[in-house]
Amino acid sequence: MSGTLPLSASDRRFVEARLASRTFPQTVLLEGGSDEARRTLADALACALVCTADGKRPCNSCRACRKCASGSHPDVQRFGPEKKNGTFKVETCRAIRQDAFVAPNDGDTKVYILDDCQAMNDSSENALLKILEEPPAGVYFLLTCPTGSALLPTVRSRAVTLSLPGEEACFSEQTLETAAALSRALTQSEWALLQATAPLERDRTEMGNVLRCFAAALEEALYRKAGAQPRAQLKEAPTLLAASFTKPRLYALLTETRALETENDGYENANLLLTALCYRLHRAAHQHP
């Protein structure tokens, strides 16, 4: 398993030792890295926790591991923000709290993976905190978040933090300027967005660069909301976004930006891509929940 965990050597040793001794922390915060890396690590840890092998876990061959691999293990549940408005609802946290006291279906272990916890508001975090303070035996919580500073100190204090290495993206001055213009235009109108993105019409590569840069600025804006300082390399965009939009709006914008980045190569017509970009970002920024 050590070769598959995107962690420092010391954190890998810690995880492997705790899994082997059956003393794994009941609440773990996975921060840093990419969304995919955090999700992959959470999946691997969940599989290891429900694995029924006597030796190294996960064994990847027992019935529990096979169920995890197929995404059908009944005692591994994943929750996250709603796609509609990007918020991690307090009702979801209350439901998790109640379900935690229900006996597992298989074995004696239950694992809850809570993705993108930065989308929780204080009410959601406080609802979750009640179960994190005294979780039932055999119940584990794996929280994922770009940075632990986005969560309340009371929640962080209940979790063991494992940090994934991140990659510092470097962007050209032109890309940074376009991303900043996009940030400013979002506070105005779709027409302003069209004007800000017009230079990208014939440059699909730069479109991808700007989308990545804008996503990074949105992440930094979320960090800023939590009291952290954004990176100077991204200039004024994170500060402007943090001042202009609520946490749920920033998360909705980030979700749409990442989707557009993935879809970039799928659009044959650049004008259609720009139209979709302006409409979807404006909608995410301003539509009612």
Side-chain angles (χ1 to χ4, degrees):
M1 185 174 176
S2 60
T4 64
L5 294 182
L7 295 169
S8 66
S10 60
D11 279 348
R12 284 199 301 270
R13 288 193 296 269
F14 170 83
V15 168
E16 290 169 352
R18 289 301 190 95
L19 287 172
S21 63
R22 305 298 197 265
T23 58
F24 196 79
Q26 286 187 263
T27 302
V28 172
L29 170 63
L30 308 177
E31 68 166 5
S34 65
D35 283 348
E36 182 180 359
R38 291 192 297 273
R39 287 172 179 266
T40 299
L41 179 55
D43 287 339
L45 292 175
C47 184
L49 288 167
V50 298
C51 176
T52 57
D54 292 329
K56 186 177 179 182
R57 298 188 298 163
C59 67
N60 298 318
S61 59
C62 70
R63 184 167 175 265
C65 283
R66 293 196 301 272
K67 283 187 175 183
C68 284
S70 65
S72 62
H73 199 293
D75 296 321
V76 176
Q77 300 184 56
R78 173 169 250 128
F79 298 89
E82 288 194 336
K83 291 184 178 180
K84 181 180 179 181
N85 55 20
T87 59
F88 204 124
K89 298 181 67 175
V90 64
E91 291 83 2
T92 301
C93 292
R94 289 171 180 159
I96 292 169
R97 191 174 67 203
Q98 292 180 338
D99 188 74
F101 291 97
V102 178
N105 290 279
D106 292 354
D108 55 4
T109 301
K110 294 180 75 171
V111 182
Y112 295 91
I113 301 174
L114 280 60
D115 288 319
D116 297 316
C117 290
Q118 75 277 6
M120 292 183 182
N121 58 26
D122 289 356
S123 296
S124 299
E125 291 188 60
N126 283 322
L128 183 65
L129 180 62
K130 293 181 180 180
I131 191 64
L132 300 186
E133 288 175 339
E134 292 187 47
V139 176
Y140 297 87
F141 297 91
L142 304 176
L143 285 58
T144 77
C145 189
T147 174
S149 64
L151 301 179
L152 293 173
T154 48
V155 172
R156 295 200 304 270
S157 69
R158 300 295 175 181
V160 171
T161 299
L162 298 176
S163 297
L164 287 75
E167 295 183 1
E168 288 291 324
C170 295
F171 302 104
S172 69
E173 284 297 318
Q174 177 183 341
T175 299
L176 290 166
E177 289 174 5
T178 304
L182 182 58
S183 302
R184 290 190 294 271
L186 263 178
T187 65
Q188 301 168 19
S189 63
E190 284 187 70
W191 173 243
L193 282 172
L194 284 168
Q195 288 181 307
T197 57
L200 305 175
E201 181 180 351
R202 297 182 181 180
D203 193 338
R204 188 63 62 86
T205 299
E206 181 60 10
M207 170 70 80
N209 292 336
V210 169
L211 287 172
R212 284 190 291 275
C213 183
F214 187 60
L218 287 164
E219 288 182 343
E220 295 295 333
L222 285 165
Y223 302 164
R224 183 61 176 263
K225 286 284 190 184
Q229 291 296 319
R231 289 175 293 174
Q233 203 259 342
L234 293 171
K235 296 189 174 180
E236 74 272 19
T239 302
L240 176 62
L241 290 166
S244 303
F245 300 104
T246 63
K247 200 172 173 183
R249 290 291 181 221
L250 289 170
Y251 185 81
L253 284 165
L254 182 58
T255 300
E256 284 291 0
T257 302
R258 286 172 174 161
L260 287 162
E261 184 183 344
T262 301
E263 298 166 15
N264 185 21
D265 293 333
Y267 279 85
E268 295 183 5
N269 187 306
N271 282 326
L272 287 177
L273 175 59
L274 285 178
T275 301
L277 182 152
C278 295
Y279 169 73
R280 287 163 60 177
L281 291 185
H282 189 268
R283 180 186 61 185
H286 300 288
Q287 72 175 357
H288 294 293

